[in-house]
Amino acid sequence: MSAVSVAQPRYAQIKETIRRRIHAGDWPEGFQIPSEHKLLEEFSVSRMTVHRALRDLTDEGLLTRVQGLGTFVAERPPSMEVVELRNIADEIAARGNRHSCTVERLLAIPADTGLARRFNLPVGATLFHSVVVHRENDVAVQLEERWVNPSVAPAYLEQDFARQTPGEYLIRLEAAPQVEHVIEAVAPTPEIAALLEIPLSEPCLRVTRRTWVQKRVVTVAMLVHPGSRYRLGARFQLPPP
């Protein structure tokens, strides 16, 4: 008996077409895809059909829809972490030195366009924001600016981060997170230079860290270190050939 081919529903065909464009790199991460109106014209289908295709791809984590802006190709977590960042307080203690910190900012803020895209949340959604200066033997070695998803850490603003670091607190809440690190050399802004007590001419190392748990972004942190006071290294074992 010969197999009978069954045509895919139109919404499924649209999904596969969009998926192929993303995987082929035609629509890279962060790319704003055409509006529903343009897609329904391209595929000659109803708005409901296009809407279902986009909704399914959003549920799968391939797209993200930002209210008031449109639909974007989602930024996906990487498959491997190369650099492990330890809690700064533990790192300092391991060197036999004393950690202290100052909480400069701890409040709730509305997500702007950039943060909304990074968290896959609507513009204006509430995020928690903290700025902490970490010191080693009273010398500033790290400025930690962090944004946190309240749905993951609803008690974040109630914590005493002079006693435990934000990273230490969040590690307890993040079960098997996926982590992305971006490392860059940057010049400090006047505010950063003042908080780290360094001249504007001091080069800095900035590590931007983002973590996911089950496709949900938990936190985005920017860790800025004075270049003369900090080194970043990693040790790992390559898999056998």
Side-chain angles (χ1 to χ4, degrees), residues 46-129:
S46 68
R47 184 177 295 275
M48 183 179 299
T49 300
V50 169
H51 183 78
R52 177 170 179 181
L54 297 182
R55 183 188 63 199
D56 285 1
L57 291 171
T58 301
D59 291 342
E60 294 172 17
L62 203 59
L63 298 177
T64 178
R65 311 188 78 175
V66 180
Q67 186 176 344
L69 289 181
T71 302
F72 299 82
V73 178
E75 297 182 18
R76 298 178 295 283
S79 59
M80 180 181 297
E81 178 187 357
V82 176
V83 178
E84 177 186 2
L85 288 188
R86 299 171 59 190
N87 174 30
I88 185 69
D90 294 338
E91 185 179 318
I92 291 172
R95 293 194 287 267
N97 294 329
R98 177 174 54 84
H99 169 265
S100 61
C101 68
T102 304
V103 179
E104 301 288 340
R105 198 171 302 151
L106 184 61
L107 72 167
I109 63 168
D112 60 18
T113 301
L115 287 170
R117 288 181 58 183
R118 303 197 79 178
F119 277 88
N120 299 332
L121 291 173
V123 173
T126 298
L127 293 174
F128 295 151
H129 182 215

Side-chain angles (χ1 to χ4, degrees), residues 9-35:
R10 287 293 284 149
Y11 81 88
Q13 295 176 26
I14 296 170
K15 282 176 56 179
E16 289 308 309
T17 299
I18 293 175
R19 196 190 309 275
R20 283 196 301 270
R21 291 174 181 176
I22 293 172
H23 290 164
D26 298 330
W27 291 358
E29 292 183 22
F31 176 81
Q32 183 172 9
I33 73 170
S35 65

